[in-house]
Amino acid sequence: MIPVIFIFIFSCNDQDYGKFILKELDEIVVPVNDFALSNPGMISIYDSDSGEHVMIYNHVINKLQISEFPSGKLKLNIPLEFESEKRTKRFTGGTLIAEDSIFVTFYPPSLGMINFKGDLTFEQKLPESNYRVSHIGNGSMIPLFKSNGRIYGAQPFLMDHHRMSKEDVQKQQLVYSVSLEEDGAAWHEVFYSPTYWDEGKKLSYFSWAKRGDLIYISPFYDHQIQVFDTKTNQVVNVKTVKSSQVDNFNVVNQMPENESKSVIATLESGQYETFLYDKYRDVFYRVFLPPYPIEKQYEIEELRLMERSRPKTGIMVLDADLNILSEHIFDLFQVHSSDNFLVGKEGLYVSTNNMNSPSFTDDQMSYVKLKLDQ
């Protein structure tokens, strides 16, 4: 791995909220192992006595892989084989929480723990929620969190979008937890905002981050961020945190006529995405996607690719009270907008492997390192 040093300040692309700006420091190239994707859908970074490491889910070989960061040197392969005579568990995500323990989710909905050999050492089925839950998962955008003797997980989908009423939105719980100290799991009274569908049936998803005992829930299609306290299992604060670049969300009141129109409607609407907490600098990052007008004819494969790796991407930097410190917009097709954001000791690593860029490659992961400057 040979880092390429490239220094540049995007002052012209930063919204003026004071003297805070995001500074681009250097570009880092990381080789991939065993045909893993260069933008894995499930990736996380953690610090250990031997330095920083990343864990990814390599779906090609159905293993979790831990490697040094940024050298890419593979340290561990963790098999994901959960077949038994009684049933087959379908792995839906994993989060490294303890030093040698990984918490995982399955379908049918349950939460478990595996060790570094892949042995399942704990499992708890989830109870029925107000709505039938057909899927739970965890990963880069909705990792599992450990707090006050419980593991917390997210269920961000409205399971019956087209048949639900506005009132039904207030019945579908978004957060569950499993006790590590006694048998039992529970769904908590956390819902999308009562005004979520005031202007039509918006889609559903969110990302979240944890700071201390608090979990911050950041919807993709709403400006409000909810603060959930794991000591009381209650929402204790709600704050509107609006990007200057996000105004109109995608509304889907009825099934689109075809896939092309559906994807175009997504691209031409704004939304938020990954939400991260930076424990080294005590700030939050809220990724946002400004609308991108489609002004010419594209094949459906091209549209799908632009939906997966959006043309325009920005990042809001928020302080511990969710006040906006900076708002930064990247150049067109400069970064990959989904999943691949890592908070390290040196700064925020953002994937520059946009899938629509002429320089895109699946042979390596590439990042630009950003640091908040004032």
Side-chain angles (χ1 to χ4, degrees):
M1 189 280 299
I2 303 176
V4 179
I5 307 300
F6 180 71
I7 300 176
F8 191 76
I9 299 176
F10 287 92
S11 55
C12 60
N13 287 337
D14 282 298
Q15 185 75 15
D16 184 12
Y17 289 97
K19 53 187 178 180
F20 290 93
I21 59 169
L22 279 173
K23 182 185 292 186
E24 181 175 325
L25 297 180
D26 50 324
E27 192 170 346
I28 297 172
V29 175
V30 183
V32 300
N33 297 294
D34 300 317
F35 304 103
L37 295 176
S38 58
N39 283 312
M42 190 181 302
I43 182 170
S44 59
I45 188 170
Y46 68 96
D47 194 21
S48 69
D49 294 339
S50 57
E52 290 185 307
H53 293 73
V54 294
M55 185 178 79
I56 72 165
Y57 171 50
N58 186 335
H59 75 283
V60 177
I61 61 173
N62 194 33
K63 293 179 180 179
L64 294 172
Q65 295 186 304
I66 295 177
S67 58
E68 293 178 350
F69 186 82
S71 73
K73 182 180 179 181
L74 183 63
K75 303 293 287 187
L76 192 62
N77 271 319
I78 304 168
L80 298 169
E81 299 171 358
F82 304 106
E83 294 187 5
S84 68
E85 293 181 2
K86 293 183 179 179
R87 71 171 188 178
T88 299
K89 299 181 181 68
R90 182 161 64 84
F91 170 81
T92 60
T95 301
L96 179 65
I97 292 182
E99 213 170 271
D100 60 350
S101 298
I102 299 167
F103 283 86
V104 294
T105 47
F106 297 111
Y107 182 80
S110 68
L111 182 140
M113 182 174 69
I114 63 174
N115 58 26
F116 279 1
K117 296 179 182 179
D119 301 322
L120 183 62
T121 60
F122 166 84
E123 185 179 9
Q124 173 69 58
K125 294 180 181 178
L126 296 188
E128 293 291 324
S129 67
N130 294 341
Y131 268 84
R132 180 181 175 274
V133 174
S134 60
H135 173 85
I136 64 163
N138 74 93
S140 307
M141 294 186 181
I142 48 169
L144 299 169
F145 293 123
K146 182 180 179 182
S147 187
N148 294 301
R150 303 184 74 87
I151 300 294
Y152 288 85
Q155 197 304 100
F157 294 108
L158 294 176
M159 287 291 165
D160 202 11
H161 174 101
H162 289 295
R163 285 179 291 191
M164 293 175 72
S165 68
K166 177 185 171 183
E167 290 70 31
D168 290 334
V169 175
Q170 293 302 296
K171 300 174 185 176
Q172 182 152 331
Q173 295 144 310
L174 305 178
V175 177
Y176 65 88
S177 68
V178 171
S179 174
L180 298 177
E181 300 168 352
E182 57 189 28
D183 284 343
W187 288 90
H188 301 293
E189 300 299 290
V190 184
F191 310 94
Y192 285 110
S193 163
T195 61
Y196 195 67
W197 276 4
D198 275 3
E199 297 178 3
K201 290 189 171 186
K202 294 184 291 186
L203 299 177
S204 57
Y205 206 78
F206 64 79
S207 181
W208 67 359
K210 179 176 175 291
R211 179 180 182 267
D213 292 318
L214 303 177
I215 297 176
Y216 297 74
I217 301 167
S218 172
F220 280 19
Y221 309 99
D222 199 79
H223 303 299
Q224 290 186 346
I225 293 176
Q226 297 187 61
V227 184
F228 176 78
D229 191 339
T230 61
K231 290 182 294 185
T232 62
N233 289 323
Q234 299 288 327
V235 173
V236 294
N237 191 22
V238 178
K239 184 165 184 175
T240 298
V241 185
K242 183 185 179 306
S243 166
S244 64
Q245 303 293 313
V246 177
D247 293 311
N248 299 316
F249 299 105
N250 191 14
V251 172
V252 185
N253 288 323
Q254 56 192 14
M255 293 293 289
E257 293 180 23
N258 55 57
E259 187 180 0
S260 291
K261 288 189 176 182
S262 173
V263 176
I264 289 171
T266 299
L267 291 168
E268 293 188 333
S269 303
Q271 68 180 71
Y272 300 98
E273 283 227 351
T274 301
F275 190 69
L276 298 166
Y277 175 61
D278 186 336
K279 65 181 181 181
Y280 304 104
R281 287 154 283 273
D282 196 22
V283 297
F284 294 98
Y285 304 112
R286 191 181 200 186
V287 177
F288 61 89
L289 306 177
Y292 183 73
I294 301 301
E295 297 174 340
K296 67 175 187 177
Q297 189 84 15
Y298 289 98
E299 297 295 327
I300 183 59
E301 291 78 13
E302 296 174 293
L303 291 171
R304 287 187 192 129
L305 203 56
M306 283 195 284
E307 183 181 34
R308 168 65 180 147
S309 198
R310 291 280 287 259
K312 293 180 70 175
T313 303
I315 295 178
M316 306 172 75
V317 183
L318 315 175
D319 68 14
D321 296 317
L322 301 178
N323 299 309
I324 302 172
L325 300 178
S326 178
E327 188 167 310
H328 174 80
I329 302 175
F330 295 99
D331 293 336
L332 280 178
F333 302 109
Q334 183 187 357
V335 305
H336 176 66
S337 59
S338 301
D339 304 310
N340 204 350
F341 295 81
L342 303 171
V343 176
K345 287 193 294 186
E346 299 294 323
L348 173 66
Y349 297 92
V350 177
S351 172
T352 53
N353 223 6
N354 189 292
M355 298 164 75
N356 301 281
S357 169
S359 62
F360 170 76
T361 176
D362 244 339
D363 296 329
Q364 61 192 28
M365 295 188 284
S366 58
Y367 298 92
V368 63
K369 183 170 68 179
L370 301 175
K371 197 163 186 178
L372 192 64
D373 196 24
Q374 63 180 116

